[in-house]
Amino acid sequence: MTALVLRSGLLTSIQDLGRHGLQHLGIVPCGAMDTVSHRIANALVGNTADCATLECTVLGPDLLFEQAVLIACYGAQFDARCESKPLPMNRPVWLPAGSKLKL
């Protein structure tokens, strides 16, 4: 799956579940701030919990999907649109190739 970043948003990052148990080596755990939402969003699209998700703070990105993709917007309430049409939260949504997602 390929997504072209048209606008990065503010404080958008790619997150996984982190690396726990390595603090004694100086490696901080990091990972998603909201691990419950991270796991649920992955489950909604059929991914394992350790797959990466986008974590958006304040202002999300604008993305162009070059291939058809199944996405899920989960967590805090925010406005998600595809081609100016509002997208539902908390469930999987199929976007065709060439879709522009604005968060």
Side-chain angles (χ1 to χ4, degrees):
M1 192 270 304
T2 302
L4 178 65
V5 179
L6 302 175
R7 185 179 55 85
S8 62
L10 182 63
L11 302 175
T12 300
S13 59
I14 300 170
Q15 295 294 335
D16 61 10
L17 291 174
R19 283 137 296 286
H20 301 278
L22 300 173
Q23 290 92 328
H24 68 286
L25 299 174
I27 300 172
V28 295
C30 298
M33 289 294 293
D34 183 350
T35 57
V36 172
S37 291
H38 171 89
R39 290 173 186 271
I40 292 172
N42 269 317
L44 285 171
V45 297
N47 290 342
T48 59
D50 60 344
C51 287
T53 57
L54 288 180
E55 192 168 77
C56 304
T57 306
V58 182
L59 182 64
D62 291 352
L63 305 171
L64 171 65
F65 293 101
E66 296 176 340
Q67 299 172 350
V69 64
L70 184 64
I71 67 162
C73 297
Y74 199 90
Q77 292 298 311
F78 57 92
D79 187 40
R81 295 182 175 274
C82 180
E83 309 299 338
S84 300
K85 291 177 61 179
L87 295 179
M89 296 284 295
N90 308 326
R91 70 177 188 90
V93 177
W94 181 258
L95 299 179
S99 293
K100 292 180 185 174
L101 176 67
K102 182 180 182 78
L103 301 176

